[in-house]
Amino acid sequence: MHLKKEQIIKDTLNYGFARYFTLGISFVASIIQKRILGPYLSGSWNALALVKLYSSFGELGISRAIELKIPPLYAKGDKEHLKYVQDTGFSLSFLLVLIVNCLIFIASFFMAGADNRVFIVGLRLITAVSILECLAVYIDLVSLRCKSKFSLLG
């Protein structure tokens, strides 16, 4: 019991240090980014980050539902129902993300003005990144995390 308590304290300290170290690096990187990009491109970057954030909400929490539903089915060995949940969850999640990002991509063609060309190109690239991110999250979620193996990015 004593060893477990020491391990918990050690893990907590390591996690806390890693978290604050990451915040420090992010702060320094943000300052460097602002200095390199300048005011206009920095504003465009932040607007694109906001669009990326909002487009990720397009899947409406389906990945979280999959994360909660799959482990019990995997443990029971109910392969038929497991396959149904995986396929339905992925199809619905991917379809919603695809629709949202296609709408953003189409809307980018109707934005007028040559002065925001960088933003428009970035907007189009963000849609592709969001779709690829949806696929990566699904692969990580279904093939690794829900089966308690490990996290791909962990």
Side-chain angles (χ1 to χ4, degrees):
M1 185 70 169
H2 185 62
L3 182 62
K4 189 175 183 179
K5 190 176 187 179
E6 287 178 2
Q7 186 64 35
I8 290 172
I9 292 171
K10 182 181 173 188
D11 289 345
T12 303
L13 289 174
N14 285 337
Y15 175 74
F17 174 75
R19 184 176 172 98
Y20 286 112
F21 184 72
T22 303
L23 284 173
I25 289 175
S26 298
F27 179 72
V28 172
S30 175
I31 291 172
I32 293 170
Q33 174 193 12
K34 302 292 188 256
R35 193 168 279 217
I36 291 172
L37 292 179
Y40 176 74
L41 291 178
S42 183
S44 294
W45 179 268
N46 288 335
L48 290 172
L50 190 62
V51 169
K52 170 76 179 78
L53 176 68
Y54 286 158
S55 70
S56 69
F57 296 141
E59 59 99 22
L60 300 174
I62 295 170
S63 61
R64 179 71 178 140
I66 291 172
E67 191 174 355
L68 295 174
K69 189 77 171 167
I70 287 179
L73 294 173
Y74 185 73
K76 282 196 288 189
D78 189 357
K79 293 186 185 226
E80 184 177 320
H81 197 215
L82 178 70
K83 182 83 170 128
Y84 174 75
V85 169
Q86 286 177 347
D87 292 346
T88 304
F90 172 71
S91 299
L92 188 56
S93 177
F94 189 69
L95 183 65
L96 290 171
V97 168
L98 193 63
I99 288 170
V100 167
N101 285 291
C102 282
L103 290 173
I104 293 170
F105 187 80
I106 291 167
S108 73
F109 287 102
F110 296 104
M111 294 182 170
D115 59 333
N116 59 358
R117 185 76 181 146
V118 171
F119 179 74
I120 291 171
V121 170
L123 201 57
R124 292 176 187 159
L125 290 174
I126 286 291
T127 59
V129 168
S130 293
I131 292 169
L132 292 174
E133 184 183 44
C134 177
L135 292 171
V137 165
Y138 179 76
I139 290 168
D140 181 47
L141 184 69
V142 170
S143 64
L144 301 173
R145 277 192 307 183
C146 284
K147 296 179 181 174
S148 297
K149 292 185 178 178
F150 59 89
S151 175
L152 187 63
L153 301 176

